[in-house]
Amino acid sequence: MTAQIIDGVLIAREIESELKIRIGKLAFKPILSVIQIGDDSASSSYIKAKAKAANRVGIELQHHHLPIDISLTDLNSLIDKLNSDSNGIIIQLPIPETLLSCLTRISPEKDVDGFHPMNLGLLMRGEPTLLPCTPAGIIELLQRSNYNLNGKHVVVVGRSNIVGKPLANLLLNKGIDATTTICHSKTKDISQHTKSADIVVVATGYLNTLNEDMVTENTIVIDVGVNRTDDGLVGDCAPNVANKVKAITPVPGGVGPMTVAMLMSNTVSASEQ
Ligand code: GUN
């Protein structure tokens, strides 16, 4: 049996249409500032996708491209300026470790990536805040595809601060009400967990993290991986997973466009405040 394909492009476009209406009600054009440090090619292509989406919905994306050897002092000065001039600010990751503290320099109310400890704390408490884009996009993708999460067992494979940990917290919150398990590189027998799941989210960044022996015919799989191979972009799932499970997100065209749509959505929310 071939799995149902959960189309992230289609759902992202639906969200963009809703955002255009909200932007039309604002007295100004929202400004999203994107800071890129160095010349990571993946970062450049993500920023291109964000600029295209911003253009479609009517957000002005300002790209600040800085050298890899920028000092923390200079970077923080730019962030201070953008905290007063922009509606939303993101720093495209990865950046050098010595600069990571700049993430907390962004005002929490402008932190449209949802990476600030204040926003992550509010998320954990189940209080309204700017949510990290990939976890928020995954929830939207499932809900808009009519997969009810209430009481479902969701296994998240991967414990990153950007995806695994915030997603597990979001799924637990009242109103979503999933039961969550987080697996990681030290988990014993990951397949014992994934086989008992209703939904498996794979976000490790490693090829073939999930294979067909680790899922059932009833599993819904969300593949967050973006791995560049000789065959092009592929996710964290082995190709044969799609031949077995009930539904799966494609790579590309699944979670990626949803992450971008949620960044636009956070920028509109920050502008409405
Ligand atoms: N690098 C990989 N994913 C992301 C993301 O969602 N936001 C930012 N800023 N950088 C990233």
Side-chain angles (χ1 to χ4, degrees):
M1 202 186 74
T2 309
Q4 184 214 329
I5 301 298
I6 303 173
D7 188 339
V9 176
L10 201 73
I11 297 172
R13 292 301 166 102
E14 186 180 298
I15 292 169
E16 285 182 7
S17 307
E18 297 163 11
L19 292 177
K20 278 189 217 167
I21 296 167
R22 285 167 61 189
I23 291 170
K25 292 180 184 158
L26 293 171
F28 57 92
K29 185 171 185 172
I31 298 174
L32 169 61
S33 291
V34 176
I35 300 177
Q36 180 178 12
I37 301 167
D39 291 305
D40 179 69
S41 66
S43 290
S44 297
S45 64
Y46 289 137
I47 292 169
K48 246 181 231 162
K50 291 170 185 179
K52 280 187 188 162
N55 188 47
R56 285 195 296 270
V57 299
I59 289 171
E60 182 179 334
L61 184 145
Q62 296 181 350
H63 184 186
H64 300 264
H65 197 166
L66 309 176
I68 192 82
D69 59 356
I70 181 101
S71 70
L72 183 59
T73 310
D74 288 351
L75 177 57
N76 281 338
S77 305
L78 173 64
I79 293 170
D80 290 346
K81 182 175 167 306
L82 298 177
N83 275 332
S84 36
D85 297 351
S86 313
N87 303 104
I89 305 168
I90 68 163
I91 298 167
Q92 189 66 38
L93 302 178
I95 59 173
E97 272 207 38
T98 48
L99 299 177
L100 274 177
S101 69
C102 74
L103 293 176
T104 57
R105 191 86 173 196
I106 299 174
S107 302
E109 65 275 16
K110 306 270 162 106
D111 168 41
V112 287
D113 252 337
F115 292 168
H116 193 288
M118 164 88 97
N119 288 326
L120 289 170
L122 289 167
L123 179 167
M124 207 197 80
R125 290 165 61 103
E127 294 175 32
T129 187
L130 293 166
L131 298 173
C133 301
T134 301
I138 291 168
I139 303 278
E140 285 284 333
L141 200 52
L142 288 165
Q143 290 180 332
R144 289 177 187 247
S145 303
N146 295 318
Y147 292 116
N148 180 17
L149 289 160
N150 187 307
K152 295 288 157 54
H153 182 208
V154 184
V155 171
V156 180
V157 188
R159 54 175 158 177
S160 71
N161 287 326
I162 294 184
V163 184
K165 280 191 266 182
L167 175 63
N169 277 284
L170 205 49
L171 286 161
L172 279 179
N173 280 342
K174 289 222 166 78
I176 299 180
D177 300 310
T179 297
T180 57
T181 300
I182 309 182
C183 296
H184 51 80
S185 54
K186 302 292 187 294
T187 301
K188 286 187 188 130
D189 194 5
I190 292 179
S191 84
Q192 172 213 324
H193 299 285
T194 54
K195 272 195 213 158
S196 74
D198 298 297
I199 299 167
V200 177
V201 181
V202 203
T204 62
Y206 292 104
L207 289 172
N208 304 322
T209 299
L210 195 74
N211 66 47
E212 66 175 344
D213 298 329
M214 300 168 75
V215 291
T216 75
E217 284 74 13
N218 290 318
T219 317
I220 295 162
V221 177
I222 305 294
D223 191 343
V224 183
V226 186
N227 303 292
R228 290 173 165 76
T229 71
D230 292 343
D231 298 332
L233 283 190
V234 299
D236 291 345
C237 291
N240 52 15
V241 171
N243 299 328
K244 184 170 186 182
V245 297
K246 181 171 165 193
I248 190 165
T249 56
V251 179
V255 174
M258 291 301 294
T259 297
V260 176
M262 299 322 290
L263 176 65
M264 300 305 131
S265 173
N266 276 347
T267 305
V268 175
S269 299
S271 304
E272 288 167 340
Q273 292 306 308

